[in-house]
Amino acid sequence: MRADRLVAALLLMQARGRVTAAELAAELEVSVATARRDLEALSAAGIPVYPQPGRHGGWQLIGGARTDLSGLSAPEARALFLLAGPAADSSDELKAALRKLLRALPETYRDEARAATGATLRDPAGWGERGRYVPGDVRILQETVVRRRAIRFRYRDATREADPWGVIDKDGVWYLLAGTDRGRRTFRVDRLSDLTVLDRPFERPSDFALDRAWTEVVGAIEERRSRTWATVLIPERFLWVLQDQFGLHCHPGEVLADGRVRARVGAPTPRDIARTLSGWGAAVEVEDPDAVRAELSRIGAELVALYRVTASAPG
């Protein structure tokens, strides 16, 4: 008997009070004989269920006892379906799981859970963008994380072996966090090739937590992305655009008497800052450092030389 069928059978008995082998077979998409064997196995394993013969009989928990395997309250069930509902569009397995869980919920929960499933639609493509591509290796890597199997792959023209500890979706870009002979490493999944699952099992470090490890990775990357800082003056009404361009690396400061805001912006190099600010023209003034001002001057001179227009004589 499969463990997932055991859980489903108990949830159904909890939600309905009593189920027949035929009803269980229909819910679990198995034969009536298989459903009956599952129910008998539950009883033999010590689960407090028993059959009641007769026209209106079936299987139920002894004395109406309730086995709360999910521990879901109504708000928790609603939150689960709100989160999982949009993702189900891309996964037949998740759709099937949600259908089964919905049927297994107490009757009073179902209407809101059903509504929550269709309350949100995910459109991962930004305006003017194509839908984001999910690398085919993501599913394989997820399986290796769960099954604790090492992998071999090519990355930057080198063959590597690693212990996959977790996969991360960072705004549509997938990453693999793995243990290697050089310690913890991060790989972009779309840059992996020739992925092979090995027979070698592994154990994740006992103190490893994926969310904490990823926070450390993000912190290190963000630090590298903001090695150069510049002080700029920008009209207050345009500050939100500057914040959108620089994200975490835009720190607004004081508002001046002329209506401009003094802000600090960061990027890997002076040239990176200048490239972003050059499109603002004279709307943004850079106070410091000189390296960024020099890059802006160079960009301006290049544009003047390339697009110089000679004014025609009057008449």
Side-chain angles (χ1 to χ4, degrees), residues 59-74:
W59 291 75
Q60 67 183 60
L61 294 170
I62 292 178
R66 298 185 64 78
T67 304
D68 188 4
L69 295 177
S70 66
L72 292 177
S73 64

Side-chain angles (χ1 to χ4, degrees), residues 5-307:
R5 294 209 305 263
L6 178 153
V7 173
L10 288 176
L11 285 173
L12 282 168
M13 282 186 282
Q14 172 179 304
R16 301 182 182 180
R18 180 182 301 160
V19 295
T20 66
E23 290 171 343
L24 185 62
E27 293 287 351
L28 303 184
E29 301 176 354
V30 297
S31 68
V32 174
T34 297
R36 186 175 292 112
R37 285 195 297 270
D38 287 349
L39 290 165
E40 291 170 350
L42 278 172
S43 180
I47 305 298
V49 299
Y50 74 100
Q52 181 176 339
R55 181 178 179 183
H56 300 292
W59 291 75
Q60 67 183 60
L61 294 170
I62 292 178
R66 298 185 64 78
T67 304
D68 188 4
L69 295 177
S70 66
L72 292 177
S73 64
E76 290 169 340
R78 189 165 55 246
L80 172 63
F81 280 83
L82 277 171
L83 288 172
D89 290 338
S90 59
S91 170
D92 291 337
E93 291 89 348
L94 184 53
K95 285 181 181 177
L98 288 179
R99 285 197 300 268
K100 292 177 182 178
L101 180 56
L102 182 65
R103 290 194 294 264
L105 287 174
E107 188 71 35
T108 55
Y109 291 8
R110 293 182 192 173
D111 285 344
E112 286 195 354
R114 188 179 293 109
T117 303
T120 306
L121 174 68
R122 291 183 61 205
D123 182 358
W127 296 112
E129 295 181 353
R130 297 181 183 273
R132 290 178 178 173
Y133 166 71
V134 178
D137 288 337
V138 166
R139 185 63 180 269
I140 298 174
L141 291 171
Q142 290 172 327
E143 291 289 341
T144 61
V145 171
V146 173
R147 294 176 53 232
R148 299 289 195 269
R149 288 295 182 271
I151 56 175
R152 181 185 298 118
F153 55 91
R154 288 192 62 79
Y155 194 81
R156 293 179 178 173
D157 298 325
T159 300
R160 304 164 186 256
E161 287 193 12
D163 300 339
W165 292 350
V167 289
I168 302 97
D169 176 5
K170 176 69 168 174
D171 193 26
V173 180
W174 288 85
Y175 294 88
L176 167 68
L177 198 63
T180 72
D181 55 2
R182 298 183 180 181
R184 188 182 73 193
R185 291 291 185 271
T186 306
F187 305 94
R188 273 188 57 152
V189 176
D190 58 357
R191 296 174 181 170
L192 271 65
S193 62
D194 301 332
L195 177 64
T196 303
V197 181
L198 306 178
D199 290 333
R200 176 174 63 82
F202 69 89
E203 290 293 331
R204 284 198 320 193
S206 59
D207 60 346
F208 176 81
L210 183 58
D211 56 348
R212 186 173 64 246
W214 182 245
T215 298
E216 294 172 358
V217 171
V218 170
I221 293 175
E222 293 291 359
E223 184 177 352
R224 290 198 297 270
R225 293 181 62 190
S226 59
R227 289 175 176 168
T228 301
W229 288 87
T231 305
V232 302
L233 301 176
I234 183 172
E236 186 176 14
R237 67 182 184 277
F238 295 140
L239 176 62
W240 69 271
V241 183
L242 192 71
Q243 290 175 310
D244 187 60
Q245 289 180 325
F246 284 92
L248 293 174
H249 310 300
C250 179
H251 300 165
E254 61 180 323
V255 179
L256 306 183
D258 61 3
R260 294 188 298 176
V261 176
R262 178 174 282 114
R264 296 277 289 170
V265 295
T269 68
R271 179 167 295 187
D272 292 316
I273 295 178
R275 284 171 174 168
T276 302
L277 297 181
S278 59
W280 285 89
V284 172
E285 178 184 350
V286 175
E287 292 188 317
D288 62 69
D290 289 340
V292 173
R293 293 167 62 91
E295 285 292 340
L296 283 168
S297 179
R298 180 189 60 78
I299 293 173
E302 288 181 354
L303 293 174
V304 168
L306 183 61
Y307 298 108

